[in-house]
Amino acid sequence: MDNLPDEYFLDVDDKMLDFLERQGEDCIREIYQSNMTNKDSGQKLLSILIVGIGSAFLLLTQDKYPMFLSAGIGVFTVYWALCAMYLVLTVLSVKTRRLVSSPPSLLYTETYKTISPSDFAYFKSKGFKGDDDTLRVLRRYRLLELCSTTTEMVKLNGVMSKQLNRARIGTILTPVFAIVISAITYVADPGPKSVQC
């Protein structure tokens, strides 16, 4: 549920509040762990791509291969370099996100420092139960931040997973493109076809 009203959690009792806080923080931790797993997978794929790009480039610098093989190796090198760039820019780049915890200065603002009995009367009219205690009110409003953080991280997780899968598919399809280009070049090139070792 996006765009919850500010008073949405005012009516929960303390026992429910404890449960909701725990669930929200656990949920954020799980999503964060999933995002880190995606980043680790992306880092491993990047390592493979870098080794492959370097090896293919080394083969390109050798002048002993016929044109059709050089064309295929060139396409392989370029496509894997593009996959590596896409991976770095979309999956491995640093992204800003909301914090699970907040610094005290953002939690205990002037608004909370100046809560008066009339404010507590307003909170009670919106469903707040319990003693006139600033911490109880603050914790209920903090649940909205946990919801916003969770929503943001779930969206990031979905985008990151999709982009990682695209990079994987591009990496897998690269040899196919290289073979196709080699075959086209082989048919079109009237020169010698043998490979010298």
Side-chain angles (χ1 to χ4, degrees), residues 117-142:
S118 63
D119 293 322
F120 282 109
Y122 170 77
F123 297 143
K124 288 180 180 179
S125 74
K126 294 295 184 178
F128 177 68
K129 302 172 189 98
D131 299 331
D132 293 359
D133 181 18
T134 304
L135 178 60
R136 290 178 185 211
V137 172
L138 188 148
R139 287 177 64 199
R140 283 162 175 80
Y141 278 107
R142 181 179 170 267

Short mmCIF file of all heavy atoms in Angstrom, two decimals, residues 117-142:
data_model
loop_
_atom_site.label_atom_id
_atom_site.label_comp_id
_atom_site.label_asym_id
_atom_site.label_seq_id
_atom_site.Cartn_x
_atom_site.Cartn_y
_atom_site.Cartn_z
N PRO A 117 -0.68 18.99 25.03
CA PRO A 117 -1.88 18.20 25.31
C PRO A 117 -2.93 18.29 24.20
O PRO A 117 -3.63 17.32 23.92
CB PRO A 117 -2.41 18.81 26.61
CG PRO A 117 -1.18 19.35 27.29
CD PRO A 117 -0.31 19.84 26.17
N SER A 118 -3.01 19.44 23.54
CA SER A 118 -3.98 19.56 22.44
C SER A 118 -3.58 18.66 21.26
O SER A 118 -4.44 18.13 20.55
CB SER A 118 -4.12 21.01 21.98
OG SER A 118 -2.89 21.49 21.46
N ASP A 119 -2.26 18.48 21.06
CA ASP A 119 -1.79 17.56 20.01
C ASP A 119 -2.20 16.12 20.34
O ASP A 119 -2.63 15.37 19.47
CB ASP A 119 -0.27 17.65 19.84
CG ASP A 119 0.17 18.99 19.29
OD1 ASP A 119 -0.53 19.55 18.43
OD2 ASP A 119 1.24 19.49 19.74
N PHE A 120 -2.04 15.76 21.62
CA PHE A 120 -2.43 14.40 22.02
C PHE A 120 -3.94 14.21 21.86
O PHE A 120 -4.40 13.13 21.51
CB PHE A 120 -1.99 14.10 23.45
CG PHE A 120 -0.53 13.78 23.55
CD1 PHE A 120 0.35 14.67 24.14
CD2 PHE A 120 -0.02 12.59 23.04
CE1 PHE A 120 1.71 14.39 24.24
CE2 PHE A 120 1.34 12.30 23.13
CZ PHE A 120 2.20 13.20 23.72
N ALA A 121 -4.71 15.27 22.09
CA ALA A 121 -6.16 15.18 21.88
C ALA A 121 -6.45 14.93 20.40
O ALA A 121 -7.33 14.13 20.05
CB ALA A 121 -6.83 16.46 22.36
N TYR A 122 -5.69 15.60 19.52
CA TYR A 122 -5.84 15.38 18.08
C TYR A 122 -5.49 13.93 17.72
O TYR A 122 -6.23 13.27 16.97
CB TYR A 122 -4.96 16.35 17.29
CG TYR A 122 -4.88 16.02 15.83
CD1 TYR A 122 -5.92 16.34 14.96
CD2 TYR A 122 -3.77 15.36 15.31
CE1 TYR A 122 -5.86 16.01 13.61
CE2 TYR A 122 -3.69 15.03 13.97
CZ TYR A 122 -4.73 15.34 13.12
OH TYR A 122 -4.66 15.02 11.80
N PHE A 123 -4.36 13.43 18.25
CA PHE A 123 -3.95 12.05 17.96
C PHE A 123 -5.02 11.07 18.42
O PHE A 123 -5.33 10.11 17.72
CB PHE A 123 -2.62 11.71 18.64
CG PHE A 123 -1.45 12.53 18.16
CD1 PHE A 123 -0.46 12.94 19.05
CD2 PHE A 123 -1.32 12.89 16.83
CE1 PHE A 123 0.63 13.69 18.62
CE2 PHE A 123 -0.24 13.65 16.39
CZ PHE A 123 0.74 14.04 17.28
N LYS A 124 -5.61 11.33 19.59
CA LYS A 124 -6.64 10.45 20.11
C LYS A 124 -7.90 10.50 19.25
O LYS A 124 -8.59 9.50 19.08
CB LYS A 124 -6.95 10.78 21.57
CG LYS A 124 -5.81 10.33 22.48
CD LYS A 124 -6.05 10.63 23.94
CE LYS A 124 -4.84 10.15 24.72
NZ LYS A 124 -4.93 10.40 26.13
N SER A 125 -8.16 11.64 18.66
CA SER A 125 -9.32 11.74 17.75
C SER A 125 -9.08 10.93 16.47
O SER A 125 -10.02 10.56 15.78
CB SER A 125 -9.61 13.21 17.40
OG SER A 125 -8.63 13.71 16.49
N LYS A 126 -7.80 10.66 16.16
CA LYS A 126 -7.44 9.87 14.97
C LYS A 126 -7.23 8.40 15.31
O LYS A 126 -6.77 7.63 14.47
CB LYS A 126 -6.17 10.43 14.33
CG LYS A 126 -6.34 11.82 13.75
CD LYS A 126 -7.32 11.79 12.60
CE LYS A 126 -7.43 13.14 11.93
NZ LYS A 126 -8.33 13.12 10.80
N GLY A 127 -7.51 8.02 16.57
CA GLY A 127 -7.44 6.61 16.94
C GLY A 127 -6.32 6.24 17.88
O GLY A 127 -6.20 5.07 18.26
N PHE A 128 -5.47 7.17 18.25
CA PHE A 128 -4.35 6.87 19.15
C PHE A 128 -4.88 6.44 20.50
O PHE A 128 -5.74 7.07 21.08
CB PHE A 128 -3.44 8.10 19.29
CG PHE A 128 -2.30 7.91 20.25
CD1 PHE A 128 -1.27 7.03 19.95
CD2 PHE A 128 -2.25 8.61 21.44
CE1 PHE A 128 -0.21 6.86 20.83
CE2 PHE A 128 -1.20 8.46 22.32
CZ PHE A 128 -0.17 7.58 22.02
N LYS A 129 -4.31 5.32 21.01
CA LYS A 129 -4.70 4.81 22.32
C LYS A 129 -3.46 4.84 23.21
O LYS A 129 -2.37 4.57 22.77
CB LYS A 129 -5.20 3.38 22.21
CG LYS A 129 -6.37 3.21 21.28
CD LYS A 129 -6.66 1.72 21.10
CE LYS A 129 -7.68 1.52 20.02
NZ LYS A 129 -7.15 1.18 18.74
N GLY A 130 -3.61 5.14 24.43
CA GLY A 130 -2.47 5.10 25.33
C GLY A 130 -2.22 6.43 26.00
O GLY A 130 -2.95 7.41 25.83
N ASP A 131 -1.15 6.43 26.78
CA ASP A 131 -0.78 7.62 27.55
C ASP A 131 -0.23 8.70 26.61
O ASP A 131 0.18 8.43 25.49
CB ASP A 131 0.30 7.26 28.58
CG ASP A 131 -0.21 6.20 29.57
OD1 ASP A 131 -1.43 6.17 29.80
OD2 ASP A 131 0.63 5.43 30.08
N ASP A 132 -0.24 9.92 27.14
CA ASP A 132 0.33 11.04 26.39
C ASP A 132 1.85 10.92 26.43
O ASP A 132 2.51 11.48 27.31
CB ASP A 132 -0.13 12.37 26.99
CG ASP A 132 -1.62 12.59 26.80
OD1 ASP A 132 -2.28 11.73 26.19
OD2 ASP A 132 -2.12 13.63 27.26
N ASP A 133 2.40 10.15 25.51
CA ASP A 133 3.83 9.86 25.48
C ASP A 133 4.36 10.11 24.06
O ASP A 133 3.89 9.50 23.10
CB ASP A 133 4.05 8.39 25.89
CG ASP A 133 5.50 8.00 25.91
OD1 ASP A 133 6.37 8.90 25.96
OD2 ASP A 133 5.78 6.79 25.88
N THR A 134 5.31 11.01 23.96
CA THR A 134 5.86 11.39 22.65
C THR A 134 6.47 10.20 21.92
O THR A 134 6.30 10.05 20.71
CB THR A 134 6.93 12.50 22.83
OG1 THR A 134 6.34 13.59 23.52
CG2 THR A 134 7.46 12.96 21.50
N LEU A 135 7.18 9.34 22.64
CA LEU A 135 7.82 8.18 22.01
C LEU A 135 6.79 7.26 21.35
O LEU A 135 7.02 6.76 20.25
CB LEU A 135 8.65 7.40 23.03
CG LEU A 135 9.34 6.14 22.49
CD1 LEU A 135 10.30 6.50 21.35
CD2 LEU A 135 10.08 5.41 23.60
N ARG A 136 5.67 7.06 22.00
CA ARG A 136 4.64 6.19 21.41
C ARG A 136 4.12 6.77 20.10
O ARG A 136 3.87 6.04 19.15
CB ARG A 136 3.49 6.01 22.40
CG ARG A 136 3.88 5.16 23.58
CD ARG A 136 2.74 5.03 24.56
NE ARG A 136 3.19 4.30 25.72
CZ ARG A 136 2.41 3.55 26.45
NH1 ARG A 136 1.15 3.41 26.14
NH2 ARG A 136 2.88 2.93 27.50
N VAL A 137 3.98 8.06 20.04
CA VAL A 137 3.51 8.70 18.80
C VAL A 137 4.60 8.62 17.74
O VAL A 137 4.34 8.27 16.59
CB VAL A 137 3.12 10.18 19.09
CG1 VAL A 137 2.82 10.92 17.80
CG2 VAL A 137 1.95 10.24 20.04
N LEU A 138 5.83 8.95 18.13
CA LEU A 138 6.95 8.94 17.19
C LEU A 138 7.12 7.56 16.55
O LEU A 138 7.32 7.45 15.33
CB LEU A 138 8.23 9.35 17.94
CG LEU A 138 9.48 9.58 17.11
CD1 LEU A 138 10.33 10.66 17.77
CD2 LEU A 138 10.31 8.33 16.98
N ARG A 139 7.04 6.51 17.35
CA ARG A 139 7.22 5.14 16.81
C ARG A 139 6.13 4.80 15.79
O ARG A 139 6.40 4.13 14.80
CB ARG A 139 7.20 4.13 17.96
CG ARG A 139 8.47 4.15 18.79
CD ARG A 139 8.40 3.21 19.96
NE ARG A 139 8.29 1.82 19.53
CZ ARG A 139 7.85 0.84 20.33
NH1 ARG A 139 7.45 1.10 21.56
NH2 ARG A 139 7.79 -0.39 19.87
N ARG A 140 4.93 5.26 16.02
CA ARG A 140 3.84 4.97 15.08
C ARG A 140 4.05 5.70 13.75
O ARG A 140 3.81 5.15 12.69
CB ARG A 140 2.51 5.32 15.73
CG ARG A 140 2.08 4.27 16.75
CD ARG A 140 1.01 4.77 17.70
NE ARG A 140 0.53 3.72 18.59
CZ ARG A 140 1.16 3.31 19.68
NH1 ARG A 140 2.32 3.85 20.04
NH2 ARG A 140 0.66 2.35 20.43
N TYR A 141 4.52 6.93 13.82
CA TYR A 141 4.81 7.67 12.58
C TYR A 141 6.03 7.09 11.86
O TYR A 141 6.12 7.13 10.64
CB TYR A 141 5.00 9.16 12.86
CG TYR A 141 3.70 9.91 12.99
CD1 TYR A 141 3.23 10.35 14.21
CD2 TYR A 141 2.92 10.16 11.86
CE1 TYR A 141 2.03 11.03 14.33
CE2 TYR A 141 1.71 10.85 11.97
CZ TYR A 141 1.28 11.27 13.21
OH TYR A 141 0.08 11.94 13.31
N ARG A 142 6.96 6.53 12.63
CA ARG A 142 8.14 5.92 12.03
C ARG A 142 7.77 4.71 11.17
O ARG A 142 8.46 4.39 10.19
CB ARG A 142 9.13 5.50 13.12
CG ARG A 142 10.40 4.88 12.57
CD ARG A 142 11.38 4.52 13.69
NE ARG A 142 12.47 3.73 13.17
CZ ARG A 142 12.51 2.41 13.14
NH1 ARG A 142 11.51 1.72 13.62
NH2 ARG A 142 13.55 1.77 12.65
#
